[in-house]
């Protein structure tokens, strides 16, 4: 999404040639492939854990850190894999988004009119807010020393439920047709 916004804002005349169907397919494939391959080491390590006492996970989904808490096996190797993987994956994707937004913001600062600058900033501010909320909760949950892992349900809830709910609401509220329909329904009352 950040790349799409970067191309739309920084290269608007070349948007259709850069964001072709093949580019969209490549971006989707990379995303799906990473989403499939990244959890494989965790799955292998977790499948070798022993669970002696409680089999009750104190979390609202079966997260690796919650499983580590109830395991009676040595979990140091999977803790290191989780830390390294989370750091690499989160930092790589976060850096791509931040670099895109740095380029977008530097372009916005060159806009002479105050109204144009405001419109440009408001276009990206909502997405950037959701991105920061998502990555802040991800970094707070996974990108920290393994010895400090704890089951943090609130942080997990932010990246599992809140950020995916924010996007449809933000884009619905920004949609002109929705605003017009909302105004018409208020007038009829």
């Amino acid at each position: 999404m950040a790349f799409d916004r970067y191309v739309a804002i920084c290269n608007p005349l070349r948007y259709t040639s850069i964001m072709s169907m093949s580019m969209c397919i490549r971006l989707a494939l990379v995303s799906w492939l990473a989403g499939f391959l990244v959890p494989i080491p965790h799955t292998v390590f977790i499948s070798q854990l022993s669970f002696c006492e409680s089999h009750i996970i104190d979390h609202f989904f079966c997260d690796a850190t919650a499983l580590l808490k109830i395991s009676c096996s040595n979990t140091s190797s999977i803790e290191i894999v989780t830390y390294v993987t989370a750091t690499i994956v989160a930092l790589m994707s976060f850096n791509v988004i931040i670099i895109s937004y740095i380029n977008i913001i530097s372009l916005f600062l060159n806009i002479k009119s105050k109204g144009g600058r405001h419109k440009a900033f408001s276009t990206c501010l909502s997405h950037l807010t959701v991105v920061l909320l998502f990555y802040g909760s991800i970094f707070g949950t996974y990108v920290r020393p393994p010895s400090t892992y704890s089951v943090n349900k609130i942080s997990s809830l932010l990246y599992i439920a809140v950020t995916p709910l924010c996007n449809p609401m933000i884009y619905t509220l920004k949609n002109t047709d929705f605003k017009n329909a909302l105004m018409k329904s208020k007038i009829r009352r």
Side-chain angles (χ1 to χ4, degrees):
M1 193 164 186
F3 181 71
D4 179 67
R5 286 184 188 270
Y6 166 75
V7 173
I9 292 169
C10 296
N11 296 303
L13 298 176
R14 296 180 43 212
Y15 179 81
T16 54
S17 63
I18 295 172
M19 290 303 293
S20 64
M21 182 60 81
S22 66
M23 174 59 87
C24 292
I25 289 171
R26 279 186 272 160
L27 290 171
L29 284 175
V30 166
S31 175
W32 291 334
L33 193 60
F36 176 75
L37 294 177
V38 167
I40 289 176
H42 294 88
T43 306
V44 170
F45 279 114
I46 288 174
S47 68
Q48 297 171 359
L49 293 177
S50 299
F51 301 97
C52 305
E53 295 175 20
S54 175
H55 293 301
I56 297 172
I57 299 172
D58 184 29
H59 210 353
F60 58 89
F61 69 100
C62 188
D63 188 39
T65 55
L67 287 171
L68 296 179
K69 286 291 179 189
I70 64 169
S71 174
C72 60
S73 302
N74 180 6
T75 60
S76 59
S77 57
I78 191 167
E79 288 174 352
I80 292 169
V81 168
T82 300
Y83 177 72
V84 170
T85 304
T87 303
I88 291 170
V89 170
L91 284 178
M92 281 177 46
S93 59
F94 186 68
N95 284 338
V96 168
I97 292 169
I98 292 302
I99 289 168
S100 295
Y101 273 103
I102 287 171
N103 288 324
I104 291 169
I105 290 169
S106 67
L107 183 73
F108 288 169
L109 295 175
N110 293 329
I111 297 174
K112 301 293 183 216
S113 72
K114 204 173 196 177
R117 197 176 310 133
H118 174 71
K119 184 175 180 179
F121 273 117
S122 68
T123 301
C124 293
L125 189 62
S126 57
H127 179 249
L128 192 56
T129 303
V130 172
V131 165
L132 292 175
L133 179 68
F134 177 77
Y135 280 100
S137 60
I138 289 288
F139 285 124
T141 303
Y142 297 106
V143 183
R144 59 184 173 174
S147 61
T148 65
Y149 278 151
S150 65
V151 179
N152 192 342
K153 294 178 189 175
I154 294 173
S155 180
S156 298
L157 187 65
L158 284 175
Y159 73 84
I160 291 292
V162 173
T163 55
L165 286 173
C166 286
N167 280 327
M169 287 189 293
I170 289 169
Y171 294 110
T172 299
L173 294 174
K174 289 182 122 186
N175 186 316
T176 315
D177 294 335
F178 177 78
K179 288 179 186 176
N180 292 338
L182 189 62
M183 293 303 269
K184 286 179 185 177
S185 69
K186 284 184 180 180
I187 294 171
R188 290 181 187 160
R189 289 184 186 180

